[in-house]
Amino acid sequence: MADTVQSPAHFTIDDTPSRTPNPLKKPSCLKRASNGIIWALESAFYRVGLFVGEHPWITIVFCLTTCGLCGLGLKTFKQTEEQVALWVPQSSRIVNEKKWVDKHFPSETRYVTMIVTGKDVLTQPFLNALLDFYSKCNNISVEGKRYQDVCYSVRTATGYHCRVTSLLELWSYNETVIRSLTRGKILQTVNSINKSPVYGTDFDVSNMLGGTVHRGQGGDIEDATATQITWVLRKDDEILEAVKAWELEVIKLARQGIVQTLEVYIYASRSFDDEGYGAINKDTQLLSAGFSIVFVFVMLSLGRFNMLEQRIYLSLIGLFSVGLAIIFAYGLATVFDVIYGPIQSIMPFLLLGIGVDDMFVIVESWKNLTPEEELLPLPQRVAVMMKHAGVSVTVTSITDIVAFGIGASTVIPALSAFCIYAALGILALYVLQSTFFVACLSLDQKRRESHRNACVCCYKHKNYTPNNCSQRSFMPKFMERYYGRALMKLPVKILVIVTTLGLLGVFMWRFILLRQDFDLVNYIPSDSYAYAFVKAKERYFPDEGIDTAVYFGGFDYYERSQSLDAAYKFVSESQYTQNGTVTSWFQVFQDWRRRNDTDGTTTSMVPTSEAEFYNLMYTFLTGPGIQLARYVKMNSTLPPISIEASYMTLRHTLQPDSADEIAAMEDLRRIIDNIDFPQYSGEDLPKYQAFAYSQSYLTYETNKVLLSELYRNLGLAGGCVLLVTLLLIANIWTSVLVFTCVVFTLIDVAGALELWGVTIDTASSVLLILSVGIAVDYSAHIGHTFMTVHGDRNYRSILTLKTIGPAVFNGGFSTFLAFVLLANSSSYGFALFFRVFMTVVIFGLFHGLAYLPVILSWVGPQPYESSYKTEESTNHITVVKEENSTSNGPNGHVQMGVERHPAFRRPDQIGPTTYMTRGVYIPRPDYSPPLLNRSHLSQYHDRFHDR
């Protein structure tokens, strides 16, 4: 008997769309281009999703292998710490000047400085107390070494002496003499000596006295309320640990106080590392706790509260994707020799904010599959999800990648390197979230459909019914029924626009007032002894600026003696030079020579040739001026000699801000450059053979270009946002509105920082540029989703908030949670992180979830053409139930097949609205929620307008 063929039972879902484009109206060229771009992107992501859904394990292995191979580059990983390599434009003159100084006069010293206050520091009891403390410090022994073993010694006429500057220097640190002093002798010595009896250099006692200094009618000093003492130590690597230990012991001793004094403030070379980085290390634990909070929030948001539908492991995998992106970026950047600096350490926070946001968008797209789409096989459901989520993630990710990529053209090396690392990291994260995370999502969905436990996947539930509470979606319902409808009321719209413009006006005003100023003190915790010292320095010695020097090359000093005299004269007369702080070995040499030839008879003191000049100089530097020999580098220790390099020192006056500090540097440079000194010729050499240089000038060089580079990078980033969103959203008006959200957010953030007292420095500049990458996420998703739904503008705005609003809010809120524990951080850097990220989240969410939907509800453009065609296709699906089928399909439904329908065309008829999947032709999938058929749409409009 022949087999009987059973006819399948049919039922049809037939929802005809309420609106279709007018076939008689020919779309414009721009509209056709827009539809073409969107179709291309959606088609590409449909195919990506289909491949990932069908081959999840291949996708996972490929992603892990690729990231692992890139991570091999970390074998040569090294961190750059040199300031000149990180923050100074490599075209700056100071780069070669620093190389020259490091070659001829490398840094050899560390220091400990102490400020001591009293009612009057020029009394015998006070000086005795200061001498007692000085003696205790000298007798401190660490690792078998005392101060004499670790101090920086200078050669004087009487031998080598440890370099210590203080009032006690006036009496050569002689305990017998100091303890026998009277008030009269103290004042007489203070007002009469101008040369150090120990080192033979100029000594201006006014630089040792601070606070309130009283002078008599003749200008003599009568009393003072503060003084300072500085120990200079060697920087040798062999004894570095002993030197640091000695510094620590002196700090401990000073913080115990000194009798006969009021206050003691101390600072050492190690203080910034101890206090500044110590606070950072302490607050790093808070960041770890913040990441844990983010994980819990992501876990609760992605899944549902039951034993089957929770997504614990998927949440971990989403955060693991951030780690993979970091490995990819760091490894690849290291291979191409991109420098790694301290600011790259904040990149994980950027990737966390972007990665979590993308994760929420993908999962929210999965939740928003229509009932018809949920009947499709799992690979096709993944493809449908990626059709819209992929485009939305692409808009934000490509915008960030291009913005950071162009930002890499900045002249500040550390900022350029950060932009390269960020662009690579976001690129990796974009690919990983679109493939690796989606593959894991499809595997997790298989687990759910096979009724396996969310935690113990090997356990399979039988007849498990999730609790009713877990089946409710609170955020979409809140966005649609309460927030969206309230937002669409006219008074609320007006309030939102007025609030937006008000915030923009206020913060624009504050943004204009935002000034550039880099103050390293900000990075020291305000409750530390180091911070107290800096503030005491400003209070008691307000005129003291930074120490600097003028360096001279190996030219003919005999021929250029007048130029050297002019340099000393003009530098001493500069308004930016503190009186009495210029120390010129050449000027002392000239004075010595003239003193010995006042009657013109000592002809040996008047050189008539270069050889005589250098012989005379050698006599001076090895005799009366031996204490100044350290300022000169000679080619030989025996005559005949020549000078290879030398320098003179000075101290700038204290400048109130970065602009004045730059002015002081440029003034000193102008003085030296305008004097007739020869120039170098050759690479890696300074332009002039005489130039001003200080370690602090490296920071000044950064500050010179920081403001212009910040505005440049923000402008380029803003232009990238506009251009890329225009290409990917493919609608001019929507792209412009998204662009305004990003601009408004940046202005509000910058204005809020100014109200907090933050200034433009390297850290705030990096964070402001980083804000572009985060701010665009909150508005681009809204703008793109608005273009994928149709109806009237109010309805589309509400539907957009329902569809993508929860993902945008969850992404922003999770970023806020990562930093919330840093709100009271004692570290300026971490406190600044919190302030920037908090304001970006607050203002970004406001503009994305309030301002943009309101504007779109008034002037939003027509949706994509595909939003009509998609509905026309997907609402005609014939589902076939096989009579003998007993297998369960996805979501517990009976396994469905897809019968050929007129909407499913032959391969040669596949157009831009049709996809092909493994022998089955299905129309182009739609992301839109299931309320778009004629009856649902009209019912919704009736309910909406009734309200």
Side-chain angles (χ1 to χ4, degrees), residues 166-311:
S166 71
L167 274 177
L168 304 179
E169 186 178 338
L170 294 173
W171 299 278
S172 302
Y173 298 99
N174 188 309
E175 182 175 357
T176 303
V177 173
I178 293 173
R179 297 203 186 279
S180 64
L181 290 173
T182 62
R183 171 73 170 175
K185 290 182 179 181
I186 293 173
L187 294 179
Q188 180 184 2
T189 304
V190 165
N191 289 292
S192 61
I193 293 182
N194 55 20
K195 288 284 184 180
S196 170
V198 180
Y199 310 108
T201 54
D202 292 340
F203 188 94
D204 188 348
V205 72
S206 61
N207 293 326
M208 291 291 106
L209 300 176
T212 303
V213 180
H214 291 127
R215 293 179 179 269
Q217 293 182 352
D220 288 347
I221 297 173
E222 295 183 344
D223 60 65
T225 58
T227 187
Q228 56 185 345
I229 179 171
T230 301
W231 290 266
V232 185
L233 302 105
R234 286 157 55 198
K235 200 179 180 180
D236 296 349
D237 292 336
E238 297 179 357
I239 60 170
L240 185 58
E241 293 305 317
V243 171
K244 290 182 178 180
W246 190 88
E247 292 175 12
L248 182 60
E249 292 301 318
V250 175
I251 291 171
K252 292 178 180 178
L253 190 62
R255 297 185 69 184
Q256 296 175 6
I258 304 175
V259 295
Q260 300 293 332
T261 66
L262 295 179
E263 298 288 344
V264 178
Y265 307 93
I266 193 165
Y267 192 93
S269 295
R270 65 174 295 154
S271 296
F272 186 84
D273 290 344
D274 290 348
E275 299 298 305
Y277 290 122
I280 292 176
N281 294 334
K282 182 178 66 176
D283 290 339
T284 300
Q285 300 175 1
L286 297 179
L287 271 181
S288 302
F291 276 21
S292 301
I293 295 174
V294 171
F295 167 69
V296 173
F297 176 75
V298 170
M299 181 184 66
L300 296 178
S301 301
L302 294 187
R304 293 179 174 177
F305 298 99
N306 59 65
M307 300 175 66
L308 184 65
E309 297 175 305
Q310 188 55 264
R311 298 188 186 272

Side-chain angles (χ1 to χ4, degrees), residues 227 309 362 485 839:
T227 187
E309 297 175 305
I362 291 171
R485 291 178 181 175
T839 50

Side-chain angles (χ1 to χ4, degrees), residues 69-237:
L69 290 175
C70 291
L72 293 177
L74 292 173
K75 292 176 62 177
T76 59
F77 174 82
K78 60 181 180 180
Q79 181 170 345
T80 303
E81 297 181 352
E82 291 185 8
Q83 185 179 4
V84 69
L86 289 171
W87 298 108
V88 179
Q90 296 305 289
S91 60
S92 171
R93 61 180 287 178
I94 202 172
V95 174
N96 288 338
E97 291 171 352
K98 183 180 187 302
K99 292 179 181 177
W100 188 95
V101 172
D102 289 343
K103 177 182 178 181
H104 293 90
F105 298 101
S107 177
E108 300 176 338
T109 61
R110 294 171 64 90
Y111 65 91
V112 176
T113 299
M114 186 173 68
I115 296 175
V116 187
T117 67
K119 294 181 179 179
D120 184 2
V121 301
L122 299 178
T123 61
Q124 200 269 345
F126 184 92
L127 292 179
N128 281 344
L130 193 62
L131 178 63
D132 291 337
F133 185 83
Y134 169 79
S135 300
K136 288 181 181 179
C137 292
N138 285 358
N139 291 326
I140 290 176
S141 178
V142 289
E143 300 182 10
K145 297 183 183 298
R146 300 172 62 188
Y147 176 62
Q148 289 76 8
D149 301 317
V150 298
C151 74
Y152 179 77
S153 298
V154 294
R155 189 177 180 183
T156 69
T158 59
Y160 286 92
H161 292 273
C162 290
R163 183 68 176 178
V164 184
T165 59
S166 71
L167 274 177
L168 304 179
E169 186 178 338
L170 294 173
W171 299 278
S172 302
Y173 298 99
N174 188 309
E175 182 175 357
T176 303
V177 173
I178 293 173
R179 297 203 186 279
S180 64
L181 290 173
T182 62
R183 171 73 170 175
K185 290 182 179 181
I186 293 173
L187 294 179
Q188 180 184 2
T189 304
V190 165
N191 289 292
S192 61
I193 293 182
N194 55 20
K195 288 284 184 180
S196 170
V198 180
Y199 310 108
T201 54
D202 292 340
F203 188 94
D204 188 348
V205 72
S206 61
N207 293 326
M208 291 291 106
L209 300 176
T212 303
V213 180
H214 291 127
R215 293 179 179 269
Q217 293 182 352
D220 288 347
I221 297 173
E222 295 183 344
D223 60 65
T225 58
T227 187
Q228 56 185 345
I229 179 171
T230 301
W231 290 266
V232 185
L233 302 105
R234 286 157 55 198
K235 200 179 180 180
D236 296 349
D237 292 336

